[in-house]
Amino acid sequence: MSQVTPKPLPPHDLPPLKVVGKPLRRVDALAKAVGVTQYAADFTLPGMLHAKVLRSPIPSGRIVRLDVARARALPGVACVLTGADLPNAKLTTDMPGQSGRAARAGSDAPVLATDVVRFHGEPIALVAAETLEIAEQAMGLIDLQLEPTPGVFCPEQALAPGSPRVYEAEGDSVGIAGANSASGGNAELAGPAAVSDHGGSAGTARAESAQGEPADSAVRSNVVAEYHIRKGDVEKGMAQADLIVENTFLVPFVEHAYLEPEAGVAWVDEQGTITIRVCTQVVEHFRTVAKALGVPQNKVRVIGTMVGGGFGSKEDVTVEIFLALLARATNRPVKLVYTREESFLASSKRHPFKITHRTGVKRTGRITAAEITMLADSGAYPYLTPYVLLYATGMAAGPYKIDHVKIDSVAAATNQPFTSAFRGFGGPQAAFAYESQMDEIAKALIMDPLEVRRTNYLKKGDTTVTGQAIRSAAWSEECATRALAALGKPTPSTATRKVGRGFSNTFQSYGRIMWFHDTSRAWVGMELDGTVVIRCGVPDIGAGQSNSLCQIAAEVLGVPLERVSIYATDSALTPLAGTSTATRQLYMSGNAVLQAAGVVRASLVTKAAEMLGVSPEDVDLADGEALVVADRGCSLQGTGGQGEEVRKPLAQVAAACASSGLPLAHLAQFNAPSAEGLDPETGQGDIW
């Protein structure tokens, strides 16, 4: 039988929403409220071992001696693993759709360090024992001797000629999928804060290193990624300015500090499949685990739990590979839970940035040109640094229309903790700088900070610094105006109490990079009693990802929310939905559920119309019933003449569909809009 496809209603004919947007109890609320929800650390299995990780106590050094014999001999110790037990195992960042390498060769993190350590906290050995106390005792019996080596601890030092190399391997930094850096060195990265009246032509920064020396291969030995954006003519724009304002802003490392530290349990089933139950934002890490262990991808299964806070750090692989290694080596279940201190040592951080803004402005507040340099600290390993830097670069100028822009950004490897995804993905660092710069411009011009911003806000139809058109509503001015109005009059300062007030706007990306060709899949089915099941690999990190999908299915299929169940986050059993990152899941998986539910709805409406003796256009689904409606613009009400049947329970309609062979389930894939990358010379193109 041919597949039934839904016929969507024109937007102006849609009936009022019945589930979406209503103040209904979340599907996961009760279990969380009464403490029934099992987070990753709550799970146990019979015969389970407990694991610990031995980590480097110094940031840069050579491993002179690593003897685990005494630890292995301790009664109750089941397994001790070192890098020698898993040669060449690397922790690679899995980015489906990525075209080409995004970081320098040889910079993937080893699963366990073998020869050198590159940051304080780098993992060196794994222990699994009968109890946590025995595992901790065994850690103390490992003979680890390290010879400290010179390291680099800030990006300026890392880029300086003759600085120690964080990676031994040779190789040049690259950009991403057509966003490769143009030739030439770093733009000038530092400079004193200055406000000066414009006189004469405004020059651009000379191609220099942070120390003012010409950029060359020696300077660039620790470069992880770099980008250049050119829009308009920045020299021309500076020449048009009445004033040039220049400032440098610093953003530090930031710890995620989620309530739930990294945790998980792994075991090997009777088919030899390694199953990992873990708190994660990405169930697709089963591929990374399989690659590191040298096993087929279909022999690794990741089951995600409800996540007690992720914010980007659980987008990276955390405990998964360690658990898989120990479970395979012992053939027993293994549990690993980081302490708070270990989480601080072992997790990624928000990237520190040094950002310099040189902005040309008219006396009216209108920005004529912006020259921006960004220097980021990648830490010891790249992880997602090339992508974070790309996002920060694309958002560097903020939500402001600027015709003449020059942006140069670079990220350098150091012996600091590794940096990676953190909520906003480079946007917050950029925002701190550009909003601080807007306030400094307002001070220099003696103008109201909101008025300066109003003069420059991006509007619908304008383009960003990369030339990407703003196609949706841009309500920066509306948002700021309403926020300040809601605050009311400022509280006056007194002799003993000083009161200040500030505000800021932000310009934030939505979704993944367009040349990643992002996809999400979902399966929706109706059971014969009128209940609904969703299967989708969406990780729920506490923001209601699962609940939103249930609302969409309930709305489309006309069932109460409490009659919808969702099975999520199991790489072996749920369709893969991609990462719970970049605020993408409602858009991506929501659309996949919408499409899948639409196919099921079409079957139900077709059969219900036949059963009720009306046209399919006259049938709607609501409150667990199929019913005839008189007017799409009115509230749903049954109609019909004397004795005419106007509604059927969905259970009856579903049963009739089943007996007729109409599909009651559908697997859908939603594809995000895509683009082919940025111009390598100018950085022009669509990113998000």
Side-chain angles (χ1 to χ4, degrees), residues 112-126:
L112 295 174
T114 54
D115 301 317
V116 301
V117 293
R118 295 186 173 92
F119 71 98
H120 185 176
E122 181 158 9
I124 297 174
L126 306 175

Side-chain angles (χ1 to χ4, degrees), residues 42 96 153 212 346:
D42 298 323
F153 300 99

